[in-house]
């Protein structure tokens, strides 16, 4: 317990009190308190809860390995350290292998979306004070908090159903939203304690989440991407795909957006899937860009008028098969980000093995930067670079928004996917052994 700090009276009030005379006990306590403060026994209130010094970094989630590589968020993107995000792996596997239903889903994840591998790390954020990394772990069907100082589990939350997926953190960093992809639910948790604040229902297979500045959470459900009913005439077998917009405070659904209707109204749009994948909003959030299943390109959507306004088709890699069943989880292109001033888009051409920077005004793409199955795109801490994860090459690559050219590549762990800017204690290089 911190001792209370006595307020210091202005000189005029101190003189007035002395002239009027203090009772003996109060005068003695004032003298004693002053002596204690002078000796440093009573700490000033401003330092009693001083915020820890933090360093800005980027977390790279190595999905099949269960680790996160920590790299610098700007400059040369050099490695800072590494942390194991499944310290409780043995315990979780014992639970799964003794529960027949959970085991069926665990093995199903491995053979479908996991491409023969267990999915241990999907999405990650740090707590505001950098004391923990909160991570969604698909194969374990949970969200877990890992202590950045010790590497130990702090808390875990089992999501509805059997698989957790994309997350988003609130603007103030206090809450995290996570998609329960087989439970058709988004949970909102207190990022420090893991306690559920609330949840809301979504379409089939909720995927990406975005907190918007108008006080909402947008969730994109992608439907059944792990079946092979991929021909356009089989589209009805892909499930209920829609955008669900919920009030971030009450978690009440305020609207749903069926992109099938908007695509049908857009010239030529009937030929494209309405499974909305990664999205990027303009800085004023008046326009949203989004990718859809099976498409090497993206659409522009006016949030105010509720209409699709433009479509961009990006180059195909001649070495990429057009057989839709060969696209990993139906995602021909998966990953997009926008620079801070809203003039450039960065696109991860996943199955076409490239990334490129696109001018937002003209939608003209720049140089195609070769990349091995890039699975995500984000922006660097200073906003000058797009950073993609090359999941098939176990590296991340930074590309300049200004020039569209590659800056550098950094080796990371097995099958990197999500990349997030984060904050860890200054000087952190890994948990204490």
């Amino acid at each position: 317990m911190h001792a209370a700090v006595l307020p210091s009276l202005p000189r005029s009030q101190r003189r007035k009190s002395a002239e009027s005379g203090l009772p003996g006990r109060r005068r003695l306590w004032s003298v004693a308190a002053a002596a204690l403060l002078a000796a440093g026994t009573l700490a000033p209130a401003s330092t009693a809860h001083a915020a820890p010094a933090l360093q800005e970094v980027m977390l790279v989630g190595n999905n099949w390995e269960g680790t996160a590589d920590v790299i610098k968020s700007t400059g040369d993107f050099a490695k800072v350290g590494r942390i194991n995000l499944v310290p409780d792996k043995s315990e979780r596997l014992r639970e799964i292998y003794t529960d027949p239903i959970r085991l069926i889903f665990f093995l199903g994840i491995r053979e479908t979306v996991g491409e023969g591998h267990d999915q241990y790390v999907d999405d990650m954020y740090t707590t505001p004070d950098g004391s923990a990394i909160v991570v969604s772990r698909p194969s374990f069907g949970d969200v877990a908090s890992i202590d950045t100082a010790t590497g130990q589990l702090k808390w875990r939350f089992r999501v509805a159903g059997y698989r957790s997926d994309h997350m988003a953190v609130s603007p103030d960093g206090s809450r995290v939203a996570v998609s329960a992809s087989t439970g058709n639910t988004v949970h909102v948790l207190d990022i420090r304690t893991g306690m559920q604040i609330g949840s809301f229902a979504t379409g089939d297979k909720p995927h990406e989440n975005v907190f918007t500045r108008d006080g909402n959470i947008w969730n994109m459900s992608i439907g059944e991407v792990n079946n092979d009913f991929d021909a356009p005439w089989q589209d009805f077998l892909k499930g209920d795909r829609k955008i669900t917009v919920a009030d971030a405070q009450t978690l009440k659904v305020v609207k749903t957006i069926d992109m099938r209707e908007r695509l049908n109204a857009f010239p030529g749009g009937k030929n494209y899937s309405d499974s909305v994948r990664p999205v990027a909003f303009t800085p004023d959030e008046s326009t949203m860009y989004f990718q859809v299943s099976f498409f090497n390109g993206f659409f522009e959507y006016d949030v105010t008028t509720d209409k699709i306004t433009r479509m961009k088709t990006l180059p195909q890699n001649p070495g990429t098969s057009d057989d839709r069943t060969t696209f990993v989880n139906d995602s021909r292109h998966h990953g997009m980000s926008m620079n801070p001033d809203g003039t450039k888009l960065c696109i991860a051409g996943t199955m076409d093995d490239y990334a490129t920077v696109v001018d937002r005004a003209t939608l003209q793409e720049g140089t195609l930067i070769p990349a091995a199955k890039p699975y995500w795109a984000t922006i660097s801490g200073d906003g000058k670079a797009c950073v993609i994860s090359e999941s098939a090459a176990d590296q991340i690559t930074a590309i300049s928004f200004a020039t569209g050219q590659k800056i550098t590549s950094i080796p990371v762990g097995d099958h990197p996917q999500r990349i997030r800017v984060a904050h860890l204690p200054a000087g952190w290089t890994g948990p204490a052994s």
Side-chain angles (χ1 to χ4, degrees):
M1 179 180 296
H2 296 286
V5 177
L6 297 178
S8 176
L9 295 174
R11 185 183 301 272
S12 60
Q13 292 186 34
R14 290 203 303 270
R15 183 166 55 248
K16 183 177 180 181
S17 297
E19 290 171 352
S20 60
L22 288 170
R25 281 186 183 177
R26 291 179 62 192
R27 186 161 52 247
L28 287 172
W29 169 239
S30 298
V31 172
L36 287 170
L37 279 172
T41 304
L42 295 178
S46 60
T47 61
H49 298 285
L54 299 175
Q55 59 177 327
E56 185 180 81
V57 296
M58 299 187 91
L59 302 177
V60 182
N62 302 312
N63 192 2
W64 296 348
E65 187 174 283
T67 63
D69 280 300
V70 181
I71 63 174
K72 292 181 179 179
S73 65
T74 59
D76 61 2
F77 301 96
K79 281 189 182 180
V80 173
R82 172 176 281 203
I83 187 168
N84 176 18
L85 296 181
V86 288
D88 55 333
K89 180 178 177 180
S90 296
E91 183 180 356
R92 302 283 80 80
L93 291 178
R94 279 196 300 271
E95 293 173 351
I96 290 168
Y97 275 87
T98 55
D99 183 330
I101 302 301
R102 287 188 66 191
L103 180 59
I104 289 171
F105 277 91
F106 178 80
L107 297 176
I109 291 168
R110 178 187 294 173
E111 296 306 317
T112 55
V113 293
E115 304 175 69
H117 300 265
D118 298 325
Q119 293 192 309
Y120 293 126
V121 174
D122 189 274
D123 217 340
M124 315 138 293
Y125 290 97
T126 48
T127 53
D129 63 0
S131 66
I133 295 173
V134 174
V135 54
S136 58
R137 307 186 299 185
S139 288
F140 293 162
D142 69 9
V143 181
S145 176
I146 310 301
D147 191 297
T148 56
T150 66
Q152 298 303 304
L153 181 73
K154 296 184 71 172
W155 56 257
R156 66 183 293 260
F157 176 87
R158 280 282 306 277
V159 302
Y162 299 92
R163 186 178 182 277
S164 53
D165 202 45
H166 287 237
M167 299 198 299
V169 71
S170 60
D172 66 358
S174 67
R175 294 168 294 148
V176 64
V178 59
S179 288
S181 60
T182 64
N184 294 352
T185 299
V186 169
H187 301 279
V188 179
L189 312 177
D190 184 303
I191 201 169
R192 295 177 179 86
T193 67
M195 297 295 292
Q196 178 171 256
I197 296 167
S199 64
F200 61 90
T202 66
D204 292 335
K205 297 293 188 296
H207 195 55
E208 186 165 16
N209 296 292
V210 179
F211 279 87
T212 51
R213 287 199 312 274
D214 61 359
N216 290 321
I217 303 172
W218 288 51
N219 174 266
M220 295 33 136
S221 59
I222 59 175
E224 301 299 332
V225 299
N226 51 3
N227 67 36
D228 284 339
F229 301 121
D230 295 340
W233 68 270
Q234 297 173 314
D235 186 72
F236 69 97
L237 297 172
K238 288 294 187 179
D240 179 23
R241 291 149 294 173
K242 60 189 176 186
I243 296 173
T244 303
V245 183
D247 184 288
Q249 295 302 317
T250 66
L251 301 184
K252 301 294 185 183
V253 174
V254 296
K255 67 177 175 180
T256 59
I257 302 169
D258 182 354
M259 274 301 173
R260 178 75 280 146
E261 299 172 5
R262 283 73 178 167
L263 285 163
N264 289 348
F266 182 77
K270 292 182 180 180
N271 299 322
Y272 296 91
S273 171
D274 62 344
S275 176
V276 177
R277 312 307 290 262
V279 304
F281 283 90
T282 53
D284 64 1
E285 296 179 346
S286 65
T287 305
M288 182 183 78
Y289 295 84
F290 65 95
Q291 296 167 315
V292 298
S293 291
F294 310 119
F295 180 42
N296 50 295
F298 58 88
F299 291 89
E300 178 185 79
Y301 170 73
D302 188 301
V303 176
T304 304
T305 63
D306 190 23
K307 293 180 180 179
I308 294 173
T309 48
R310 291 192 293 177
M311 179 185 79
K312 173 62 179 180
T313 302
L314 288 166
Q316 294 183 344
N317 184 334
T320 297
S321 171
D322 285 329
D323 179 359
R324 289 185 168 195
T325 64
T326 65
F327 298 166
V328 177
N329 302 322
D330 294 354
S331 51
R332 182 154 193 164
H333 285 188
H334 187 282
M336 65 190 315
S337 63
M338 185 179 296
N339 66 338
D341 63 8
T343 60
K344 302 285 182 68
L345 285 160
C346 178
I347 306 297
T350 309
M351 301 308 299
D352 288 299
D353 289 332
Y354 68 77
T356 189
V357 172
V358 176
D359 181 88
R360 192 168 78 84
T362 64
L363 297 189
Q364 178 60 49
E365 72 273 12
T367 303
L368 304 185
I369 306 298
K373 203 171 78 171
Y375 225 100
W376 194 246
T378 190
I379 61 174
S380 59
D382 59 9
K384 295 181 180 180
C386 167
V387 183
I388 61 168
S389 58
E390 295 193 53
S391 61
D394 295 343
Q395 66 181 17
I396 61 97
T397 292
I399 301 167
S400 168
F401 272 116
T403 67
Q405 299 300 312
K406 175 178 174 178
I407 298 170
T408 188
S409 292
I410 304 295
V412 292
D414 193 8
H415 203 77
Q417 285 190 208
R418 221 69 60 229
I419 309 171
R420 300 291 188 188
V421 173
H423 294 87
L424 291 173
W428 186 95
T429 57
S433 57

